[in-house]
Amino acid sequence: MIEINEELKQLVENNIVAFASVDEAGKPHNIAVAYPKVVSKNQIIITDNFMKETIQNILKNNSISLVVWNTDWEDIKDCYGYELRGTIKYFTSGKWHDFVKNMKKNKGLPAKGAILITVNKIKKLT
Protein backbone atom coordinates (compact mmCIF):
# COMPACT_ATOMS: atom_id res chain seq x y z
CA MET A 1 0.00 0.00 0.00
CA ILE A 2 1.16 3.51 -0.85
CA GLU A 3 1.68 5.67 2.25
CA ILE A 4 1.81 9.43 2.61
CA ASN A 5 4.74 10.15 4.94
CA GLU A 6 4.88 13.07 7.37
CA GLU A 7 6.99 15.26 5.07
CA LEU A 8 4.51 14.86 2.21
CA LYS A 9 1.55 15.36 4.55
CA GLN A 10 3.01 18.71 5.66
CA LEU A 11 3.60 19.77 2.05
CA VAL A 12 0.04 18.86 1.02
CA GLU A 13 -1.65 20.49 4.00
CA ASN A 14 0.42 23.69 3.99
CA ASN A 15 0.53 24.58 0.30
CA ILE A 16 -1.70 25.16 -2.67
CA VAL A 17 -2.04 21.90 -4.62
CA ALA A 18 -2.46 21.57 -8.40
CA PHE A 19 -5.39 19.24 -9.17
CA ALA A 20 -5.66 17.78 -12.69
CA SER A 21 -8.67 16.00 -14.12
CA VAL A 22 -9.48 14.89 -17.67
CA ASP A 23 -12.71 15.35 -19.63
CA GLU A 24 -14.44 12.77 -21.84
CA ALA A 25 -12.43 13.87 -24.88
CA GLY A 26 -9.15 13.38 -22.99
CA LYS A 27 -8.47 17.09 -22.55
CA PRO A 28 -6.81 17.98 -19.22
CA HIS A 29 -8.17 20.54 -16.80
CA ASN A 30 -6.02 21.84 -13.95
CA ILE A 31 -6.97 23.97 -10.94
CA ALA A 32 -5.29 25.20 -7.78
CA VAL A 33 -6.81 23.81 -4.58
CA ALA A 34 -6.56 25.24 -1.07
CA TYR A 35 -7.10 23.39 2.21
CA PRO A 36 -6.40 19.76 1.23
CA LYS A 37 -6.34 17.47 4.27
CA VAL A 38 -4.63 14.09 4.63
CA VAL A 39 -7.20 11.86 6.35
CA SER A 40 -5.40 8.47 6.30
CA LYS A 41 -2.12 6.89 5.20
CA ASN A 42 -3.24 7.02 1.56
CA GLN A 43 -6.24 9.36 1.40
CA ILE A 44 -6.66 13.11 0.95
CA ILE A 45 -9.89 15.09 1.17
CA ILE A 46 -10.52 18.23 -0.87
CA THR A 47 -13.58 20.48 -0.62
CA ASP A 48 -15.70 21.37 -3.61
CA ASN A 49 -16.50 24.99 -2.91
CA PHE A 50 -16.61 26.50 -6.40
CA MET A 51 -15.72 23.67 -8.80
CA LYS A 52 -17.70 23.13 -12.01
CA GLU A 53 -15.58 21.67 -14.79
CA THR A 54 -13.54 19.56 -12.36
CA ILE A 55 -16.68 17.96 -10.92
CA GLN A 56 -18.04 17.24 -14.40
CA ASN A 57 -14.74 15.54 -15.23
CA ILE A 58 -14.35 13.46 -12.08
CA LEU A 59 -17.92 12.18 -12.26
CA LYS A 60 -17.05 10.69 -15.67
CA ASN A 61 -13.40 9.74 -15.04
CA ASN A 62 -12.30 9.21 -11.46
CA SER A 63 -8.55 9.19 -12.18
CA ILE A 64 -6.74 12.35 -11.06
CA SER A 65 -3.31 13.79 -10.43
CA LEU A 66 -2.16 16.22 -7.75
CA VAL A 67 1.14 18.12 -7.68
CA VAL A 68 2.63 19.97 -4.73
CA TRP A 69 6.02 21.70 -4.32
CA ASN A 70 7.96 22.88 -1.32
CA THR A 71 7.86 26.66 -1.03
CA ASP A 72 11.51 27.16 -0.06
CA TRP A 73 13.03 28.43 -3.30
CA GLU A 74 16.17 29.83 -1.64
CA ASP A 75 18.41 27.22 -3.22
CA ILE A 76 17.19 25.67 -6.46
CA LYS A 77 19.10 22.43 -5.79
CA ASP A 78 16.93 21.93 -2.69
CA CYS A 79 13.71 22.40 -4.65
CA TYR A 80 11.44 19.36 -4.92
CA GLY A 81 7.83 18.34 -5.13
CA TYR A 82 5.55 15.35 -5.50
CA GLU A 83 3.01 14.08 -7.96
CA LEU A 84 0.26 11.98 -6.43
CA ARG A 85 -2.00 9.93 -8.66
CA GLY A 86 -5.17 8.24 -7.58
CA THR A 87 -8.88 7.76 -7.84
CA ILE A 88 -11.68 9.75 -6.30
CA LYS A 89 -15.10 9.39 -4.81
CA TYR A 90 -17.37 12.43 -4.65
CA PHE A 91 -19.79 12.99 -1.76
CA THR A 92 -22.60 15.54 -1.42
CA SER A 93 -23.87 14.04 1.84
CA GLY A 94 -22.71 11.74 4.63
CA LYS A 95 -19.55 11.45 6.71
CA TRP A 96 -17.07 13.06 4.29
CA HIS A 97 -19.38 15.89 3.29
CA ASP A 98 -19.97 16.63 6.97
CA PHE A 99 -16.19 16.51 7.52
CA VAL A 100 -15.46 19.25 4.95
CA LYS A 101 -18.42 21.37 6.04
CA ASN A 102 -16.99 21.35 9.57
CA MET A 103 -13.40 22.22 8.59
CA LYS A 104 -12.47 25.55 10.18
CA LYS A 105 -10.91 26.78 6.92
CA ASN A 106 -14.21 26.23 5.09
CA LYS A 107 -16.17 28.50 7.42
CA GLY A 108 -18.35 30.79 5.34
CA LEU A 109 -17.72 28.80 2.15
CA PRO A 110 -20.40 26.66 0.44
CA ALA A 111 -18.70 23.24 0.87
CA LYS A 112 -20.94 21.75 -1.84
CA GLY A 113 -19.14 18.42 -1.82
CA ALA A 114 -16.19 16.37 -0.62
CA ILE A 115 -13.64 14.79 -2.95
CA LEU A 116 -11.97 11.79 -1.31
CA ILE A 117 -8.78 10.83 -3.13
CA THR A 118 -7.22 7.41 -2.66
CA VAL A 119 -3.58 7.74 -3.65
CA ASN A 120 -2.14 4.80 -5.58
CA LYS A 121 1.13 6.32 -6.83
CA ILE A 122 3.56 8.88 -5.37
CA LYS A 123 6.41 10.23 -7.48
CA LYS A 124 9.07 12.60 -6.14
CA LEU A 125 9.83 15.49 -8.52
CA THR A 126 13.25 17.12 -8.50
Side-chain angles (χ1 to χ4, degrees):
M1 172 199 277
I2 297 294
E3 289 193 16
I4 298 168
N5 64 26
E6 187 60 31
E7 173 193 32
L8 180 51
K9 177 182 177 185
Q10 292 304 315
L11 277 176
V12 167
E13 291 185 350
N14 294 306
N15 291 286
I16 301 297
V17 174
F19 181 144
S21 61
V22 179
D23 70 13
E24 286 182 306
K27 294 180 182 171
H29 174 67
N30 203 356
I31 62 172
V33 176
Y35 319 133
K37 180 81 174 147
V38 175
V39 293
S40 78
K41 293 285 186 189
N42 70 332
Q43 291 182 309
I44 299 168
I45 195 115
I46 293 174
T47 307
D48 168 18
N49 281 314
F50 303 107
M51 297 178 192
K52 289 184 182 178
E53 189 174 340
T54 298
I55 300 306
Q56 292 170 353
N57 290 350
I58 65 176
L59 291 176
K60 294 176 182 159
N61 178 350
N62 73 343
S63 295
I64 60 88
S65 174
L66 303 175
V67 172
V68 64
W69 283 88
N70 70 336
T71 56
D72 182 11
W73 293 83
E74 293 291 319
D75 188 348
I76 195 69
K77 69 179 185 263
D78 293 330
C79 190
Y80 65 93
Y82 291 91
E83 178 189 25
L84 298 91
R85 293 185 187 179
T87 57
I88 66 94
K89 290 185 180 177
Y90 183 68
F91 300 92
T92 56
S93 63
K95 169 186 166 181
W96 292 115
H97 187 238
D98 292 344
F99 181 89
V100 297
K101 285 182 83 78
N102 292 317
M103 286 173 58
K104 185 187 283 187
K105 291 183 176 183
N106 281 328
K107 185 175 179 156
L109 296 171
K112 299 181 300 183
I115 300 167
L116 182 65
I117 300 163
T118 300
V119 177
N120 55 38
K121 181 177 182 180
I122 298 172
K123 178 180 174 183
K124 190 166 185 178
L125 307 171
T126 55

